[in-house]
């Protein structure tokens, strides 16, 4: 995907740099784009529609995250991560990769085969925007492998990848967080949470948005409020982070 903070590396191919225009008929944006993500302030939500003309507006992409933990006994052995992209960014992806040319909101096998894993070509320093921990002890997560890609609902790209997990099986709940530190991508952990191999209770702890906006304003004040380029936007993504706690029997 296109992300000039260096999170996802841009891939080559036809149509790179196009946004919503091209040789194909223009899609009906009103039919596919619903209301902005409601938990973000209007100024931030509007920012995605203004990009790239307003480089200081964040975030630009909205992703709902779902997790599937694979367990053997007390250990997590793998995690499948699902990213559901917002409707507007989905339009950009469809145009950029030449997908769904018949406008039936279904990707063909050839389209999936050619595009699967498009968002896994990560730049150095980006670990996939996912953290797992047992209490305060981080759990190591390995490199991703693509699993699936689909166009779902009224028009949203949904991708899933699988990552191995090195877990020593220590006692205590499993804590999961997904966030982009640069806040180029806003991630909410509102997708489906699944565990196989164990019986677990799942609790979602939403970010304290009041505190997050206070922290965002403080960070902006610290740099004088001037956002000249993407690379000087303060790293505030963690302030807006949801957390999912898996408490497993035994």
């Amino acid at each position: 995907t296109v992300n000039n903070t260096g999170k996802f590396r841009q891939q080559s191919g036809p149509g790179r740099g196009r946004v919503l225009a091209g040789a194909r008929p223009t899609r009906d944006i009103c039919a596919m784009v619903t209301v902005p993500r409601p938990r973000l302030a209007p100024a931030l939500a509007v920012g995605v529609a203004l990009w790239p003309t307003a480089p200081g507006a964040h975030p630009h992409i909205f992703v709902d995250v779902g997790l599937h933990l694979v367990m053997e006994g007390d250990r997590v052995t793998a995690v499948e991560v699902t990213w559901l992209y917002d409707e507007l960014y989905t339009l950009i992806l469809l145009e950029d990769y030449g997908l769904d040319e018949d406008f039936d909101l279904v990707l063909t096998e050839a389209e999936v085969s050619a595009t699967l894993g498009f968002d896994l070509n990560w730049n150095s320093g980006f670990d996939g925007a996912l953290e797992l921990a047992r209490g305060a002890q981080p759990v190591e997560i390995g490199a991703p492998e693509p699993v699936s890609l689909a166009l779902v609902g009224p028009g949203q790209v949904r991708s899933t990848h699988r990552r191995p997990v090195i877990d020593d099986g220590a006692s205590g709940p499993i804590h999961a967080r997904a966030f982009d530190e640069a806040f180029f991508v806003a991630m909410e952990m509102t997708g489906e949470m699944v565990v196989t191999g164990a019986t677990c209770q799942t609790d979602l702890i939403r970010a304290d948005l009041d505190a997050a906006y206070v922290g965002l304003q403080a960070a902006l004040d610290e740099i004088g409020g001037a956002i000249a380029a993407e690379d000087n936007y303060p790293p505030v993504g963690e302030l807006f982070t949801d957390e999912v706690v898996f408490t497993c029997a035994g």
Side-chain angles (χ1 to χ4, degrees):
T1 38
V2 180
N3 186 331
N4 56 4
T5 60
K7 300 307 178 184
F8 303 141
R9 184 176 299 152
Q10 181 171 340
Q11 297 182 357
S12 61
R16 302 311 303 174
R18 287 185 297 149
V19 180
L20 296 178
R24 300 194 298 135
T26 303
R27 292 176 182 271
D28 183 353
I29 296 177
C30 294
M32 294 184 65
V33 177
T34 58
V35 296
R37 293 294 181 261
R39 294 190 74 242
L40 294 174
L44 291 177
V46 171
V48 69
L50 299 180
W51 179 74
T53 60
H58 275 228
H60 302 307
I61 304 169
F62 298 83
V63 174
D64 293 335
V65 179
L67 300 178
H68 174 190
L69 298 187
V70 180
M71 300 190 67
E72 295 181 6
D74 296 332
R75 298 187 309 110
V76 182
T77 59
V79 57
E80 289 192 354
V81 184
T82 296
W83 289 339
L84 180 66
Y85 292 92
D86 67 83
E87 294 89 341
L88 181 55
Y89 194 65
T90 289
L91 282 172
I92 296 173
L93 292 174
L94 296 182
E95 292 289 337
D96 235 12
Y97 288 96
L99 303 175
D100 189 34
E101 296 198 344
D102 56 5
F103 298 93
D104 65 351
L105 296 180
V106 177
L107 300 183
T108 66
E109 290 185 7
E111 289 173 332
V112 171
S113 177
T115 315
L116 184 64
F118 77 95
D119 49 2
L120 301 182
N121 190 21
W122 300 337
N123 280 347
S124 175
F126 181 63
D127 61 3
L130 177 66
E131 291 183 355
L132 295 180
R134 294 270 196 177
Q137 185 64 37
V139 174
E140 184 177 348
I141 312 173
E145 293 290 340
V147 172
S148 65
L149 178 70
L151 192 58
V152 299
Q156 290 181 262
V157 166
R158 181 183 67 197
S159 71
T160 298
H161 59 272
R162 183 182 178 98
R163 304 178 65 181
V165 175
I166 302 174
D167 178 19
D168 62 8
S171 61
I174 301 160
H175 297 259
R177 300 195 304 163
F179 66 95
D180 171 21
E181 185 180 53
F183 207 37
F184 189 95
V185 182
M187 294 185 163
E188 294 190 44
M189 300 192 70
T190 53
E192 187 177 16
M193 300 294 161
V194 178
V195 180
T196 57
T199 301
C200 303
Q201 174 182 318
T202 303
D203 296 298
L204 172 62
I205 303 171
R206 301 309 299 267
D208 183 342
L209 293 186
D210 289 337
Y213 289 126
V214 169
L216 171 59
Q217 188 59 57
L220 292 174
D221 290 344
E222 189 173 342
I223 61 173
I227 308 298
E230 288 296 342
D231 58 6
N232 84 321
Y233 196 88
V236 296
E238 189 170 4
L239 300 177
F240 294 86
T241 302
D242 296 335
E243 182 176 21
V244 175
V245 181
F246 298 89
T247 305
C248 303

